Amino acid sequence: MRRPVLLLLLLTSACDALPRDPGDTSGRIASTKVFTVGFLEPDLGGRPQVTGLLKELERRTGAHAHTVPGGGEVLLTRLQAGDLDLAIGRFSKDSPWKSDVALAPPLAASGPEDDPIAIRAAARNGENRWIMTVERASRAVTGTQQQP
């Protein structure tokens, strides 16, 4: 009887740090109290859904959003390199970036229903704890539930 209990304790203690951020994005944000955000298009920073997302992320992390200048490809490349924590922009469902970055749920969408352009936050692939935080914050702002 002791063996299964011991095994269960070992397994549950190993799950404490899941999900993980190999680049330690969440840990760095927690220690510096800052996360960096770039807007792929300058006008997105004033959108209510975007400001709502940033406020929700600040609330969840206890960190302050620091915006950096730039646009489009430059910011997405910086995101991939780990020099940026979040890039917010308009993405189509067939965006060439969808496999290179982790796209959060849409904050808003426009265009045809079968091919909308959605405002989304993008995070660095693999930073799963940070990605989960951004996804949950996006859903909280839009009032959508997590899909099964």
Side-chain angles (χ1 to χ4, degrees):
M1 180 66 180
R2 284 182 75 185
R3 214 176 232 173
V5 171
L6 182 59
L7 182 61
L8 182 62
L9 285 173
L10 286 172
L11 288 174
T12 57
S13 67
C15 294
D16 183 46
L18 294 176
R20 291 192 173 100
D21 287 350
D24 198 32
T25 300
S26 295
R28 181 184 39 74
I29 290 169
S31 67
T32 64
K33 302 293 185 205
V34 173
F35 61 93
T36 56
V37 180
F39 299 108
L40 303 183
E41 302 160 46
D43 69 312
L44 293 177
R47 299 283 301 248
Q49 303 92 332
V50 173
T51 57
L53 172 63
L54 296 181
K55 286 180 183 177
E56 182 64 16
L57 284 169
E58 289 176 333
R59 184 188 72 74
R60 288 172 183 255
T61 62
H64 173 70
H66 172 71
T67 58
V68 297
E73 299 281 325
V74 171
L75 290 177
L76 289 167
T77 301
R78 287 185 64 192
L79 179 68
Q80 279 187 301
D83 297 333
L84 188 66
D85 299 314
L86 212 55
I88 299 176
R90 291 180 175 92
F91 295 92
S92 69
K93 68 179 180 179
D94 295 327
S95 170
W97 286 96
K98 71 181 180 182
S99 62
D100 296 327
V101 298
L103 295 175
L107 297 169
S110 61
E113 211 173 291
D114 61 334
D115 192 22
I117 303 295
I119 298 173
R120 302 175 108 157
R124 185 178 178 198
N125 266 343
E127 296 302 289
N128 298 327
R129 185 174 284 194
W130 174 239
I131 291 167
M132 185 179 289
T133 301
V134 174
E135 285 182 358
R136 288 178 176 163
S138 296
R139 291 185 200 295
V141 168
T142 61
T144 59
Q145 297 296 314
Q146 187 167 354
Q147 296 176 356

